[in-house]
Amino acid sequence: MLLNLGQLVINGLLIGGFYALISIGLTMIFGVTNLVNFAHGEFLMISMYATFWLHKLFGLDPYLAILVVAPLLFLAGVIIHKLIIERLLTAPHHMQVFATVGLSIVLVNLALFLWQADYRSVSTPYSDASWVAGGLRISVPKAFGFFVALAMAGGLLAFLKLTPMGRAIRATAQDQHAAKLMGIDIKRVYLWAFGIGTACVGVAGAILTPFYYVFPTVGQFFVTAAFVVVVLGGMGSMVGAFLGGLIIGLVESFSGFFIAPVWKEMVYFGVFVLILLLKPSGLFGLGQE
Amino acid sequence: MKKRLARVLVLVLVAAMILAAGCGGKSSQGGEGQKDAKAGGEVIKIGALFPFSGNLAVLGEESFRGAEIARQVINGKGGINGKKIEFVKADAVDAKAAVAEAERLITKEGVKIIIGTYSSTLSYAATEVAERNGIIYWELGAVADDITSRGYKYLFRVAPRAREYGSIGATYAATVVAPALKKDPKDLKVAIVYEDGLYGTTVSKFAKSKAEELGLKVVAYEAYSTKSVDLSPLVMKLKEAKPDVLLATQYLTDLLLLWKQSKQLDFKVPVIIGTGGAHSNKEFIDAVGANEAEGVMNVGFSSLGVNSSFGPGLEDFLKLYKDKYGREATSAYPHVNYAGTQILFKVIEQAGSVDPEKIRQAALKVDLPVGSTMAGWGAKFAGPDTKEVGQNLNTSMIIDQWQGGKQVVVWPDNAIKPGVKPIIPLPSWKQ
C-alpha cells in the first residue's frame, strides 16, 4: 500500500508538471494583457505538429526540437498578436472571446485540412522508458517534462525580475496606464508577453510529443486543465501556475485511484470550486477579486 | 477606429468559422446512379445517407462502397422486377446535417427508402426524420442499442446491437480463455474498462452482466473520460486487481494512452479482448507495432479474415471491390454494407413496390438463417409488438486476433480458417 501511495504521488507530480508547463504560457499572457487566450490549446497542437514534422523529416530529437519550435512559436505568437490580438486589447471581453475562440476553430480545421484526423506519434528510445527504484517507477519523458517546467518557471521569473524588458512587463501587468506614463512602450510589452507565452507553449508541445499523440484536436484535451490551473494559481502568477499544476495532478492521481478514474475530473473541478470559494483570487492571486 | 477594426476582424473570424464548419457540408448526388437512370426506363430511387466528409468520412465512404457494389451487381442482373436502382447520395457530416439531408431526400428527391449510416449518432438523428415522414430507413451499420428501442415502425436495422460486443467478449472469456489458461471460469478474474460515453457504457454494462451470469469474477469495472490525458490511476487500479482477462471498450486515443501507460507502469494481463473495434484498427497496430499487438483480440461484426464458408461470396466481393476502386478493401465495412443492402433488395423484390407499408410487411416476413449472407448474418426482424421493433435478431459476430501483424478470426469455430489457432496468453505476458 505504501508503495502504491508513493507511486500515486509520483504519477500525480509528473502529470502535474505537464499541466504546469502548459499553464505557464497562458498565465503569462493573461497576467500582462488581461486577455484569455482560448486558442492556447491550438498553439500547443501546432507546436506538437512542428515537433512531429521536425522529427519525421529531419530526424530531429523532440527535445532538441525545442530550440527550433520555441522560437517558431514565438514568431507565430508575434504574428498572431500583430494581426488579431493587438486590435482587440481595448475591445470588450466578449469580443476577445469571440476572436480567440474563432482563431481556435480556424486552427483546428486548418490542421484537419492539412494533416487529417490521423493520430501520429513520435517514437524515441526514451518514449516508454522508466527509472525503477525500490518498486517505484518514474517515466523518463515525464520526469524530463517536470524539470523543464521547473526550469522554465524559474527562468521566466528571473527574466521578469532581472531584465529591463522583464521589469517593463511586470510594470505593465501591474498598471498599464502608470507604465505608459513612465515611458514604457506598452504595445511592445504586449507583443513580447504574447510571444513569450506562445514560446512557452512551444516548449510544452515539444516535451509532450515523445509520449503523447498528435492530432488536430489534441489541444482541447489539455487546455481545460490548463485553465483550471491558471485560475487556481491566481491568474497571472507564475509560481501559482506551477504549484496549481502540481495540485491538480495530485488530486487527479489520488481521486482516480481511491474513488474511480471516471470521477477524477469531477473531483479536481470540485477542489477548484472550493478553493475559489475560500480564496477567490486563487492561491497566489494578487488580491484583485 | 480600433473598435471598427476589431469588429471587422470578429466578422471575418466568424465567417471563417462558418466556412470551416460548412465546407464539408456540401452534398453530392450519385452521379453514376443518374447515368443509369437515363439509360433505363423506370427506376427505384434510394437515398444513401453516410458521412462522406468530415471526421467520419473514411469509414463512411467504405460503408457506402459496399452498398454501391450491391447496386451495380443487381442492376447488372436487370434490376429489381425490371427496374434499375438509383442511389441519391446525401452527406451527413454531423447530426444536424443528417437531419437536413434526410429531409432533403424525402421532400425534394422524393425517395421512399433511405439506407445508411455507419455512425450511431447520425443514424439516431436521421431515422427520426424518416419515421416522422413514414419513410423506410434501412440501417446497415450503426450499432447503438437505442436506435431500435424507440418503437419506430419503418426503421429496420440489419446490423447487430452494441450490447452483443460485450456479451460475446464475456462468453469467449468463459468458454475459451478460461480453459486455455487452465482455470475454472469461477476463478477467472475479469477486468472491464470503458470510455464513459454512450458507446462504452452500453457495451460494458452487458459485458458485466454476462460475465456475472457466467460466474466469472469481475475484479474491476472502471470507466474513464476519453478526454483524460492521464490514465495512470486506472492502470494502478488494474495492477491491484490483477485480472486474467481485460475487456475494454475504447476509442483509439484512449486505447493508445492506456497501452503506453500500462507499459510504463508495468501492468500486464494474460488476455486482452477489445469489445468494440479500436483494437482491430489499423492505426492501433501502426502505433504499437506488430510485436506488441500480437495476440490482442477484438470482438467485431465481421472481418476480412473469415472463412469463406462463414460469409459466402466474400472472395468474389473482394475482387469486385478491387476492380471498382483500384485497391484492396481494408476493413469489414464494405462487405457488411453489401450484405445488408442485398437483404433490402430482396425485400423490395418481394414487396413488389416501394410503398413503405408494403416494404415493411415484406421485411417482417423475411427469415434468413444466421450464416446465409456474406456478413455471416441472417435476417429476421423483431415484430411491432416487441421492445426492439425492426432489429435484426439473426445477427452474428466474430472475434479476431492480431497474429504476425495480420487479423485472423478465432471465433466462432465455423468462421475460423483452417490451421488458425488462438494465441492465449499474450506472448508479451509470458516474458
Side-chain angles (χ1 to χ4, degrees):
Chain A
M1 197 62 218
L2 206 62
L3 200 66
N4 265 344
L5 284 179
Q7 188 68 57
L8 287 173
V9 170
I10 290 173
N11 293 347
L13 288 178
L14 290 180
I15 190 73
F18 269 101
Y19 290 156
L21 195 62
I22 297 163
S23 311
I24 287 170
L26 190 64
T27 207
M28 173 91 193
I29 293 170
F30 179 80
V32 179
T33 63
N34 234 335
L35 173 114
V36 182
N37 180 16
F38 283 97
H40 193 70
E42 280 56 54
F43 284 109
L44 181 73
M45 178 264 293
I46 290 171
S47 57
M48 288 177 80
Y49 269 111
T51 314
F52 170 82
W53 287 114
L54 284 171
H55 179 82
K56 174 117 182 170
L57 299 176
F58 307 108
L60 197 61
D61 185 276
Y63 292 157
L64 287 177
I66 294 176
L67 301 176
V68 184
V69 176
L72 205 70
L73 264 281
F74 181 86
L75 206 67
V78 165
I79 292 170
I80 298 256
H81 184 89
K82 273 279 175 208
L83 284 178
I84 300 171
I85 310 292
E86 201 173 77
R87 302 151 202 265
L88 284 170
L89 288 174
T90 49
H93 269 301
H94 66 265
M95 279 208 178
Q96 300 179 345
V97 171
F98 263 127
T100 54
V101 169
L103 180 63
S104 140
I105 294 173
V106 168
L107 291 176
V108 167
N109 281 286
L110 197 67
L112 270 170
F113 176 71
L114 291 175
W115 303 303
Q116 281 80 46
D118 298 342
Y119 296 100
R120 300 160 195 262
S121 67
V122 167
S123 191
T124 56
Y126 50 80
S127 277
D128 296 318
S130 294
W131 290 311
V132 185
L136 295 175
R137 305 178 73 89
I138 300 173
S139 155
V140 173
K142 279 193 184 165
F144 192 81
F146 183 87
F147 290 117
V148 170
L150 199 64
M152 205 164 81
L156 270 180
L157 274 181
F159 169 79
L160 290 175
K161 286 252 187 281
L162 304 175
T163 64
M165 180 43 95
R167 276 194 290 271
I169 288 177
R170 275 192 300 144
T172 312
Q174 276 170 12
D175 189 331
Q176 51 160 309
H177 298 296
K180 211 171 177 178
L181 286 174
M182 294 301 130
I184 292 175
D185 180 359
I186 62 167
K187 260 186 144 176
R188 205 165 139 247
V189 166
Y190 286 151
L191 191 70
W192 270 84
F194 199 84
I196 292 171
T198 51
C200 286
V201 87
V203 175
I207 296 288
L208 202 56
T209 310
F211 77 94
Y212 206 70
Y213 299 90
V214 191
F215 50 95
T217 47
V218 65
Q220 288 155 20
F221 282 60
F222 286 90
V223 84
T224 329
F227 276 117
V228 173
V229 167
V230 166
V231 179
L232 180 68
M235 299 182 77
S237 159
M238 214 62 68
V239 181
F242 188 76
L243 292 179
L246 298 191
I247 291 172
I248 295 297
L250 285 172
V251 168
E252 260 200 42
S253 173
F254 275 83
S255 59
F257 184 77
F258 286 106
I259 305 172
V262 72
W263 287 92
K264 68 187 174 89
E265 282 83 5
M266 217 177 96
V267 173
Y268 84 63
F269 275 110
V271 169
F272 171 59
V273 169
L274 212 65
I275 292 183
L276 285 188
L277 279 176
L278 299 173
K279 199 167 182 315
S281 55
L283 290 176
F284 295 84
L286 308 165
Q288 322 150 323
E289 252 108 75
Chain B
M1 187 60 206
K2 261 209 157 162
K3 275 213 161 149
R4 264 195 59 195
L5 257 177
R7 232 173 260 157
V8 169
L9 207 82
V10 168
L11 272 177
V12 168
L13 271 173
V14 169
M17 270 156 75
I18 293 166
L19 268 178
C23 67
K26 62 178 189 292
S27 57
S28 51
Q29 300 190 6
E32 290 159 69
Q34 305 228 310
K35 263 179 258 147
D36 284 0
K38 272 172 205 138
E42 247 187 305
V43 295
I44 297 173
K45 256 178 151 182
I46 297 176
L49 188 101
F50 292 91
F52 289 110
S53 57
N55 274 353
L56 303 169
V58 176
L59 292 179
E61 172 69 28
E62 284 291 283
S63 302
F64 171 73
R65 287 180 174 186
E68 174 65 12
I69 292 173
R71 185 184 75 85
Q72 284 197 330
V73 167
I74 199 138
N75 281 351
K77 289 180 187 157
I80 301 174
N81 304 331
K83 290 178 191 166
K84 293 260 162 116
I85 304 287
E86 180 194 324
F87 281 162
V88 184
K89 275 169 96 173
D91 184 4
V93 196
D94 53 23
K96 229 190 286 167
V99 168
E101 287 289 89
E103 267 163 7
R104 179 179 69 86
L105 287 174
I106 295 164
T107 54
K108 244 181 106 194
E109 302 289 343
V111 305
K112 299 281 178 226
I113 305 163
I114 298 176
I115 58 168
T117 324
Y118 167 62
S119 146
S120 293
T121 316
L122 302 180
S123 172
Y124 207 84
T127 46
E128 204 267 329
V129 178
E131 180 69 14
R132 198 163 10 96
N133 289 286
I135 298 295
I136 295 285
Y137 202 102
W138 197 263
E139 182 52 62
L140 300 166
V143 293
D145 288 54
D146 285 357
I147 291 173
T148 43
S149 64
R150 293 172 293 174
Y152 283 3
K153 228 174 128 185
Y154 297 104
L155 167 66
F156 292 90
R157 170 160 57 180
V158 209
R161 288 154 294 184
R163 67 165 72 165
E164 289 163 42
Y165 289 102
S167 42
I168 285 174
T171 309
Y172 187 78
T175 54
V176 182
V177 174
L181 294 176
K182 299 192 179 59
K183 283 203 170 191
D184 190 32
K186 277 196 279 305
D187 301 323
L188 193 76
K189 289 186 283 185
V190 179
I192 300 169
V193 300
Y194 57 101
E195 63 88 24
D196 67 352
L198 181 65
Y199 156 64
T201 318
T202 316
V203 174
S204 295
K205 196 170 70 192
F206 287 99
K208 184 170 181 249
S209 60
K210 191 75 185 180
E212 281 166 351
E213 185 192 315
L214 293 166
L216 306 177
K217 244 193 228 165
V218 179
V219 290
Y221 181 64
E222 295 295 345
Y224 61 84
S225 156
T226 44
K227 294 240 165 188
S228 187
V229 292
D230 178 35
L231 294 176
S232 65
L234 177 64
V235 177
M236 297 290 288
K237 278 208 143 176
L238 292 173
K239 260 184 104 164
E240 279 239 311
K242 295 191 181 62
D244 299 307
V245 181
L246 179 68
L247 293 179
T249 310
Q250 305 182 282
Y251 288 112
L252 195 64
T253 8
D254 39 320
L255 163 63
L256 294 177
L257 184 62
L258 184 68
W259 195 269
K260 271 199 169 178
Q261 294 203 300
S262 297
K263 227 179 123 188
Q264 195 260 311
L265 291 166
D266 197 32
F267 164 66
K268 283 181 177 173
V269 60
V271 175
I272 296 174
I273 306 175
T275 40
H279 294 76
S280 69
N281 248 307
K282 201 183 149 294
E283 284 88 352
F284 166 67
I285 193 160
D286 286 348
V288 305
N291 259 343
E292 273 198 51
E294 182 80 358
V296 173
M297 300 189 198
N298 188 64
V299 182
F301 55 39
S302 186
S303 165
L304 292 173
V306 295
N307 189 329
S308 52
S309 72
F310 182 76
L314 181 57
E315 276 160 33
D316 295 338
F317 171 80
L318 293 177
K319 226 172 274 152
L320 281 177
Y321 183 96
K322 204 181 164 193
D323 288 347
K324 185 162 164 66
Y325 295 108
R327 65 165 177 83
E328 306 275 348
T330 52
S331 72
Y333 288 95
H335 76 260
V336 161
N337 281 270
Y338 175 87
T341 310
Q342 272 195 321
I343 298 172
L344 171 66
F345 291 162
K346 203 165 280 176
V347 167
I348 298 176
E349 191 185 339
Q350 273 154 16
S353 146
V354 288
D355 175 52
E357 192 51 43
K358 286 198 181 128
I359 290 183
R360 190 174 87 93
Q361 293 302 340
L364 289 172
K365 277 187 215 126
V366 169
D367 191 356
L368 299 168
V370 173
S372 57
T373 72
M374 192 187 294
W377 313 336
K380 180 166 182 57
F381 297 100
D385 36 344
T386 59
K387 272 190 184 155
E388 290 181 288
V389 196
Q391 171 60 42
N392 183 1
L393 302 173
N394 284 0
T395 56
S396 60
M397 287 215 161
I398 55 98
I399 296 178
D400 54 29
Q401 182 175 46
W402 288 108
Q403 293 189 5
K406 289 222 156 62
Q407 276 168 310
V408 300
V409 173
V410 293
W411 187 88
D413 287 342
N414 62 340
I416 302 177
K417 281 189 177 163
V420 169
K421 281 207 161 51
I423 302 172
I424 300 171
L426 292 166
S428 62
W429 183 76
K430 279 188 273 186
Q431 286 162 11

